[in-house]
DNA sequence: ACCTTATTGATCGATAATCGAACATATGTT
DNA sequence: AACATATGTTCGATTATCGATCAATAAGGT
């Protein structure tokens, strides 16, 4: 007997529809209906109806059988960003500290097994920041901003994340051993900040601090990235940490 | 006999689900299930199942019966933003021109009857830019960036937008007469830019130019906002227009 | 504190929306 | 041109969805 998957409280069609929507990601900006069906493991007819629904609702536009997202999707994101006053309050704060820190500052939150950029203030326009922006996702283990989300979570969450989050070896320096990571997390908690170097990209380092609500609950993390030498002066690094903490305090008030 | 609404090609459940998701907007960052049902005109049970589905998929989180969006929604937005290289290419360009123009620069696209901010580069951090950010929506008729989207569309789209887009009178200067608007649009097309003053907020002016693909198709519009005096020097204003056009050219290459 | 009223949560059979096999059409390959 | 492959569409069977109804909880009044 095929297992009864009818949860009665979960709308399968809706869940499939969201999968279709999510199929249009950074890798696949354009997809045909059969491609969607393959990527989502849905029956072609089902994928078709869901895609057509999305087109009908103006979430997708079609050009010669090829579909791609329209800016309509930003409406949904706007609900989140504006609801949490990201644009009104967080971004200006980031911009201010971006000046003080002379570089781009990013605010990330936990999304499943990844860190997702919620706000981002580009520093010097000339310095291309690897193209990260709102909605960009980063691994939890190999970046400071991600590792901060793990380190400053409660014990339970922390262990769960260590367990379930994928640990890709991006460089030869990437820590992927669980105990190594635990040690690093412990150290980070003692320090009050996370420093990661060469683990995501050779020669690139990142620094991050937690953003916590007054009651101690972790909201997100705040980080900066740059070539290693920028962090080599220890005193300078601690000054950056101080500024990040200050910035985190301001953000914590409003989110 | 109740009209048969079964379009066979449109998934009603999915459409309803997206409505539920969209119910969480800037005004209502937090909603209970019955509130969602009321706002979307859905049966309470239906709303419940859709909300529970969203919670199950981590798009919503629940705190004491109150639901709100999680950053997961940014994943979907990320598909759009990264797919169109907004973060990698558009934002840096905006940042560069934001320096040259000494103020924030925004890139908007058409979404239904509204303009939606797709990218935004804050200028001087001290100058709070009214809290607009990615996903913010603006009316088409009362802002330069919105009016540019109408003016530089093809004739058919332009007339449709004039017809269907709501024309709210934000200030006593807001143009709401169709023929007044048409005149202004014609003028804007002749000029190659849109200038709007006092129509959205007293004392605030905005300047915008179209972003067109090489083949002439309108992609979006690029605009700046500021207190009226900033645009009072005509020569200076034209220099801003020139920079905006330059910026638009750079963006047109990549989107 | 008690009862009443209003609001919200959960159940379950009828119904209509969804599914997917099968067919039709388009595309490209030898 | 004929074949093979990939994509689009149809339509009846199935089952997920709907919403009236009931249960539980919260709010309000005396």
């Amino acid at each position: 007997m095929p297992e009864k998957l009818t949860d009665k409280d979960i709308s399968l069609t809706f869940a499939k529809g969201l999968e279709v929507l999510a199929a249009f990601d950074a890798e696949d900006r354009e997809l045909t209906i059969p491609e969607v069906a393959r990527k989502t493991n849905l029956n072609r007819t089902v994928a078709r109806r869901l895609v057509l629904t999305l087109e009908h609702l103006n979430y997708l536009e079609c050009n010669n059988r090829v579909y791609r997202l329209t800016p309509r999707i930003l409406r949904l994101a706007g609900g989140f960003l504006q609801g949490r006053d990201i644009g009104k309050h967080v971004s200006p704060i980031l911009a201010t500290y971006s000046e003080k820190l002379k570089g781009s500052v990013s605010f990330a939150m936990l999304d499943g097994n990844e860190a997702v950029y919620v706000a981002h203030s580009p520093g010097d326009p000339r310095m291309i920041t690897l193209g990260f922006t709102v909605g960009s996702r980063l691994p939890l283990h190999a970046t400071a901003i991600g590792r901060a989300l793990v380190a400053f979570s409660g014990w339970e969450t922390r262990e769960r994340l260590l367990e379930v989050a994928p640990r890709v070896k991006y460089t030869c320096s990437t820590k992927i051993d669980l105990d190594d990571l635990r040690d690093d997390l412990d150290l980070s908690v003692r320090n009050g900040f996370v420093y990661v170097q060469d683990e995501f990209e050779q020669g690139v380092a990142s620094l991050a601090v937690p953003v916590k609500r007054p009651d101690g609950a972790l909201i997100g993390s705040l980080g900066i990235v740059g070539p290693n030498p920028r962090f080599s002066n220890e005193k300078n690094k601690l000054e950056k940490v101080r500024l990040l903490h200050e910035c985190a305090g301001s953000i914590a008030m409003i989110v």
Side-chain angles (χ1 to χ4, degrees), chain A:
Chain A
M1 178 192 323
E3 120 182 66
K4 190 111 150 257
L5 207 45
T6 311
D7 209 329
K8 279 282 191 192
D9 280 345
I10 302 292
S11 170
L12 298 185
T13 305
F14 185 27
K16 287 173 195 166
L18 289 169
E19 286 225 5
V20 168
L21 203 50
F24 292 83
D25 56 22
E27 285 81 50
D28 301 299
R29 49 178 295 176
E30 299 193 319
L31 292 169
T32 65
I33 289 177
E35 280 167 352
V36 170
R38 272 191 293 275
K39 184 163 180 178
T40 56
N41 289 315
L42 291 171
N43 178 290
R44 257 185 23 247
T45 313
V46 176
R48 176 173 172 269
R49 191 148 33 79
L50 296 171
V51 166
L52 290 178
T53 304
L54 285 168
E55 186 187 16
H56 183 75
L57 298 174
N58 292 118
Y59 284 93
L60 291 178
E61 63 188 8
C62 177
N63 239 323
N64 198 318
R65 318 232 154 126
V66 181
Y67 292 83
R68 64 172 186 170
L69 290 172
T70 71
R72 167 65 52 97
I73 196 73
L74 296 182
R75 250 186 223 220
L76 303 179
F80 172 79
L81 295 172
Q82 288 156 50
R84 309 243 184 159
D85 285 334
I86 305 293
K88 207 183 290 180
H89 295 125
V90 175
S91 293
I93 292 173
L94 286 190
T96 304
Y97 281 89
S98 169
E99 258 198 354
K100 294 186 185 179
L101 285 156
K102 295 181 184 42
S104 78
V105 183
S106 306
F107 176 46
M109 293 177 77
L110 186 66
D111 173 28
N113 300 330
E114 297 175 303
V116 58
Y117 274 20
V118 169
H120 177 81
S121 174
D124 189 331
R126 281 173 297 274
M127 147 112 183
I128 289 201
T129 54
L130 301 166
F132 290 118
T133 184
V134 171
S136 290
R137 289 171 294 164
L138 288 175
L140 289 176
H141 68 297
T143 62
I145 208 165
R147 206 176 279 175
L149 292 173
V150 183
F152 297 95
S153 289
W155 173 257
E156 195 191 350
T157 309
R158 173 179 150 167
E159 281 303 313
R160 182 174 52 76
L161 289 174
L162 280 170
E163 218 41 73
V164 299
R167 298 192 297 281
V168 179
K169 202 154 173 59
Y170 295 99
T171 71
C172 54
S173 308
T174 309
K175 288 196 183 76
I176 56 165
D177 180 71
L178 277 182
D179 283 325
D180 284 355
L181 284 169
R182 284 200 189 89
D183 288 346
D184 193 276
L185 296 175
D186 289 339
L187 175 68
S188 300
V189 170
R190 281 199 301 279
N191 287 337
F193 69 87
V194 181
Y195 181 69
V196 173
Q197 186 175 313
D198 295 324
E199 293 195 42
F200 190 47
E201 201 155 343
Q202 267 305 339
V204 176
S206 54
L207 194 62
V209 303
V211 179
K212 291 177 166 184
R213 241 186 311 218
D215 65 8
L218 185 71
I219 301 169
S221 65
L222 208 58
I224 58 179
V225 187
N228 293 344
R230 258 206 234 176
F231 302 91
S232 51
N233 177 332
E234 193 65 19
K235 197 172 159 195
N236 194 275
K237 183 163 121 188
L238 290 178
E239 172 61 9
K240 287 189 204 294
V241 169
R242 197 190 61 75
L243 283 168
L244 283 175
H245 275 137
E246 207 177 282
C247 184
S250 308
I251 291 177
M253 306 285 232
I254 52 176
V255 178

